[in-house]
Amino acid sequence: MADQEKAKETSKNQLEWVWPSINDLEAAQSASYSGAASAMVVAVITLLVMIYNLASGSNLLGIDLWVLFDISLYCCLAAALYWYKSRVAAILLLTTFIAGKIYMFAQFPKLSTGGVVFAIILLIGFVSGVRGAFAFHKIRKSNPNAPLPEGVHVRVIGTPMKVTLIIILSLLGLFVSLAIVGLMLGEA
C-alpha cells in the first residue's frame, strides 16, 4: 500500500512542472514567472535568429528587422506579467505565441520535430503564466491582507514611477526598432 502511494506521489511530482498546483501567492507568482520566462526565451531566440540573418544575408524562418516589434512586444508583456501579474499581458503572450506558431508552421511546414517539441514546452510555460496571473489575483482578492511574496508589485496610485518607467522603456524600444527598420528600408 505504501509503495502505491509513493508511486502516485512520484508521478504527481514528475508532472508538477507541466501543471503546477497553485494554492497560494508564492505558487501563483512562480507560475506567472514561467510565462514571463517563456516570453523572454522567445524574444532572445528571435533576436539571435534576426542577428544571424543580418550577418549572413540569409532569410532563416523569414525573420527580418520587422521582428524587432515582436521582440519589444514580448519583452514589455513579460515585464508586465513578471512585475504586476497582469492577466491581460498573460493572455496576450499566450495568444501572440499561438498565432505566431500557427503562422510559422503554415509558412514553413517542414520544421523539424524538435521545433514542435520546443514550441510545446514554451506553450506549457505560457499557459502556466496565464494560470498564475489569474490565480494570483483571485487569491489576493479573497485575502487582501495577506503579505505579498518578495518581488511582487501591485499597482497603487501612490507609486506611478514603476508604471511610468515601464511605459517609457517600452516606447523607447519601439522607437529604436522603428528607427532601425527605417534605416534599413532607406538603404534598400
Side-chain angles (χ1 to χ4, degrees), residues 18-101:
V18 176
W19 200 260
S21 60
I22 302 173
N23 48 14
D24 60 5
L25 288 175
E26 288 83 11
Q29 178 182 17
S30 177
S32 64
Y33 285 175
S34 296
S38 295
M40 294 310 295
V41 167
V42 170
V44 168
I45 289 173
T46 305
L47 180 65
L48 291 175
V49 172
M50 185 200 72
I51 291 170
Y52 171 79
N53 285 350
L54 288 175
S56 69
S58 67
N59 193 15
L60 180 65
L61 299 175
I63 293 178
D64 56 11
L65 280 175
W66 288 103
V67 301
L68 286 173
F69 176 76
D70 294 342
I71 293 168
S72 298
L73 178 70
Y74 272 103
C75 291
C76 293
L77 293 174
L81 180 57
Y82 184 86
W83 282 313
Y84 298 106
K85 312 303 174 265
S86 170
R87 294 166 284 201
V88 172
I91 291 171
L92 285 174
L93 282 169
L94 177 63
T95 55
T96 303
F97 179 74
I98 291 172
K101 288 302 160 192

Side-chain angles (χ1 to χ4, degrees), residues 127-149:
V127 169
S128 184
V130 170
R131 291 181 62 231
F134 275 89
F136 182 86
H137 290 286
K138 182 179 179 181
I139 294 168
R140 184 83 173 127
K141 187 176 182 180
S142 68
N143 190 2
N145 295 327
L148 289 174

Side-chain angles (χ1 to χ4, degrees), residues 112-125:
S112 68
T113 308
V116 174
V117 171
F118 190 61
I120 290 170
I121 291 171
L122 288 172
L123 180 65
I124 290 168

